[in-house]
Amino acid sequence: MVDKIKVSLLGSTGMVGQKMVKLLSKHPYLELVKVSASPSKIGKKYKDSVKWIEPGDIPENVKDLPIVSTNYEDHKDVDIVLSALPNELAESIELELVKNGKIVVSNASPFRMDPDVPLINPEVNWEHLELLKVQQKKKGWKGFLVKNPNCTAAIMSMPLKPLLDIAEKSKILITTLQAVSGAGYNGISFMSIEGNIIPYIKGEEDKIAKELTKLNGKFEGQQIIPASLDTSVTSIRVPTRVGHMGVINILTNEKVNIEEIKQRFRNFKSLPQIKNLPTAPKSPIIVRDEEDRPQPMLDVSAENGMAITVGRIRHENNVLRLIVLGDNLVRGAAGITILTVEVMKELGYI
């Protein structure tokens, strides 16, 4: 028997929060014991506070939990706090918890690029958790803060990791085709997106490019040395419910063997796979050889949404081109949070 790790969840009623609730409900050793939401919902049962949009019913072990505040006092008796808070609320709330000694693993953007805060996509850079050994001293915090990347950066960083030797010597052009769920449940009106494409997502392009350099960087001494990635990103909102796709073009003069590239992807494994962690996909990168794959309707749920799918891999006119697809709510948000916690437990940080 494994001792249960007691977890509280901030922002539990939103899209990502609901996904976390569902993933945690059957977890072998993470037990969700506290749920938090907006002040108007405090004291109500979870089932009476949430507009449940996940398939299936609210998990039995969660539906009657009372909504608590985001204050430290309501979370002081848990082992770890997970955050699915909106970006505009996250910084002050998470900081109070960390300063008071809590471990916070957050999906929100504040502090992602802070040099003392690890930005973790477990298969890509689990070693960056070493920053936690110096974070408290540098920041004067009693607890730890760990961040997840932007959902699109999380997905795009996966295939770049096994290609880093090529990518760091090249110009990278990425065009992302991002599902409406990336903007939240009420983020884009039906009239704005139905039958339409919006060629701009505020703040997204710079965010993805910057986060890719940190995610693929090397931990040396007491700091992360960012990867030398020269990346330009164009982000486009498309009328798809779930699934962020990226067209990655790596401009390279190197000789590229496509079959060898495919093998790099198929053979890619990291600590979560080696340790057989509960939320880890068996194959983090799935290669499709069909000329019309990946597609969100067919591929977004691969490995319970935790794998990314790569297709249309080709090299012509000095361009290595591939199409990447991942589940923005699972691999890009809820699932990556839980997998990060599993890695932290494995490494003794929890």
Side-chain angles (χ1 to χ4, degrees), residues 1 31 79 117 154 255 258 297 348:
M1 291 289 291
E31 181 182 9
D79 300 305
V117 176
K255 291 184 178 179
I258 292 301
M297 286 185 67

Side-chain angles (χ1 to χ4, degrees), residues 43-111:
K44 297 179 181 179
K45 291 181 178 180
Y46 184 78
K47 65 181 180 182
D48 298 325
S49 307
V50 65
K51 182 178 181 181
W52 188 255
I53 58 170
E54 277 292 302
D57 296 329
I58 301 171
E60 284 291 324
N61 53 349
V62 180
K63 67 179 186 179
D64 289 325
L65 287 178
I67 299 292
V68 300
S69 78
T70 56
N71 298 331
Y72 166 73
E73 288 298 318
D74 281 335
H75 302 272
K76 64 182 181 181
D77 55 347
V78 301
D79 300 305
I80 190 162
V81 179
L82 307 184
S83 175
L85 287 171
N87 293 334
E88 63 273 14
L89 300 177
E91 184 170 352
S92 60
I93 291 170
E94 293 171 5
L95 207 49
E96 182 204 356
L97 291 164
V98 172
K99 285 181 176 179
N100 280 286
K102 303 316 299 180
I103 299 171
V104 177
V105 180
S106 169
N107 195 60
S109 62
F111 287 101

